[in-house]
């Protein structure tokens, strides 16, 4: 392989590792888990879980399967959106972060009436946009 091709392959692998890590982080946050809780559930240290999410350390196939089991998603979930254009991915990431934060905060509301009221408000605001 030429140096240019090897460099492109190496960069793509790093981009893939970062993408998979970001998807792990998004799903973990959506479920309301801390990095420490997830680390405990998959049997690694907090530092290792942090490195997985940042794309610093690669994740073996077996470990990725285990993470998928803990986060209740198929392994393919972690690769969704990988081939999208960078510009589109940035827009989606911002929106996804907002949705994840909303879902996390919603799941921490213990009052069923408050959850229902918030759900109705979101529905009304969405209908207003049409």
């Amino acid at each position: 392989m030429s140096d240019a091709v090897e460099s492109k392959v190496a960069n793509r692998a790093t981009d893939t590792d970062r993408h998979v890590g970001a998807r792990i982080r998004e799903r973990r946050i959506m479920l309301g888990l801390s990095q420490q809780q997830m680390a405990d559930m998959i049997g690694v240290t907090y530092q290792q879980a942090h490195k997985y999410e940042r794309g610093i350390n690669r994740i073996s196939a077996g470990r990725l399967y285990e993470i998928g089991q803990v986060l209740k998603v198929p392994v393919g979930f972690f690769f969704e959106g990988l081939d999208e254009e960078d510009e589109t991915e940035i827009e989606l990431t911002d929106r996804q972060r907002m949705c994840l934060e909303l879902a996390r905060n919603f799941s921490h509301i213990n009052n069923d009436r408050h959850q229902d009221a918030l759900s109705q408000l979101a529905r009304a605001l969405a209908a207003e946009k049409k």
Side-chain angles (χ1 to χ4, degrees):
M1 237 189 290
S2 72
D3 288 341
V5 172
E6 284 181 27
S7 177
K8 188 173 184 177
V9 170
N11 286 340
R12 182 65 179 151
T14 306
D15 291 345
T16 301
D17 295 332
R18 281 194 293 268
H19 179 84
V20 168
R23 295 287 288 170
I24 290 170
R25 182 175 190 276
E26 289 171 5
R27 180 64 181 166
R28 174 184 59 78
I29 290 169
M30 188 165 36
L31 293 176
L33 296 172
S34 69
Q35 270 186 344
Q36 183 64 60
Q37 288 171 318
M38 188 185 79
D40 291 343
M41 293 170 86
I42 62 173
V44 299
T45 64
Y46 163 82
Q47 291 84 356
Q48 185 64 33
H50 177 75
K51 288 178 180 180
Y52 285 157
E53 288 187 5
R54 302 281 297 161
I56 296 167
N57 285 6
R58 288 213 168 145
I59 305 170
S60 70
R63 178 73 71 202
L64 190 58
Y65 178 80
E66 189 175 359
I67 291 169
Q69 295 295 301
V70 166
L71 298 180
K72 299 177 177 86
V73 292
V75 172
F77 169 86
F78 302 115
F79 298 96
E80 289 174 6
L82 186 60
D83 293 328
E84 294 177 6
E85 295 293 321
D86 290 338
E87 188 175 310
T88 304
E89 192 171 326
I90 291 169
E91 287 179 38
L92 290 176
T93 301
D94 291 343
R95 186 175 183 95
Q96 285 174 341
R97 283 189 184 130
M98 210 181 331
C99 289
L100 290 172
E101 184 178 352
L102 179 63
R104 183 182 62 224
N105 291 332
F106 185 86
S107 71
H108 285 87
I109 299 172
N110 294 324
N111 185 312
D112 289 342
R113 284 187 16 207
H114 290 167
Q115 279 189 336
D116 187 49
L118 186 57
S119 180
Q120 288 179 20
L121 174 63
R123 209 173 296 121
L125 290 172
E128 201 174 276
K129 186 177 181 182
K130 290 180 182 178

